Amino acid sequence: SSVTSWAIPEVAALKPNMELLNDRIRAVATRHGALLVDMWNHPGCASRDMFSSDLMHSSMRGHALLGAETIRRLGVFLASG
């Protein structure tokens, strides 16, 4: 199995609440036909340097990864036309 943000103990403590929130966000995105870039289980998020010092917000590196994944996801969507 891949290493994810759950490898960071402070983030792992949030797992139950975040899973519930993420499930609801996925349902709303599906209902409205929205593109969703789900980073919660992305293997890159297992690194502390992806987060700011509060471990809740992205660092500059985390934002770069999110931007790259957003472009990738949009590209997949557009290619499926």
Side-chain angles (χ1 to χ4, degrees):
S1 108
S2 64
V3 178
T4 66
S5 56
W6 306 125
I8 301 170
E10 297 87 347
V11 177
L14 301 173
K15 187 175 182 178
N17 290 333
M18 290 305 298
E19 285 182 336
L20 179 61
L21 176 62
N22 287 339
D23 287 345
R24 290 181 178 173
I25 290 170
R26 285 183 202 100
V28 170
T30 299
R31 186 169 61 243
H32 292 281
L35 290 178
L36 178 65
V37 180
D38 188 351
M39 298 297 292
W40 197 248
N41 289 312
H42 191 286
C45 294
S47 175
R48 281 184 180 266
D49 65 349
M50 298 303 274
F51 297 92
S52 66
S53 60
D54 66 7
L55 294 176
M56 291 300 302
H57 297 94
S58 296
S59 65
M60 289 177 72
R61 185 171 181 216
H63 281 287
L65 178 62
L66 177 58
E69 287 298 314
T70 300
I71 291 168
R72 186 193 63 76
R73 178 71 177 95
L74 185 57
V76 169
F77 172 76
L78 293 173
S80 69

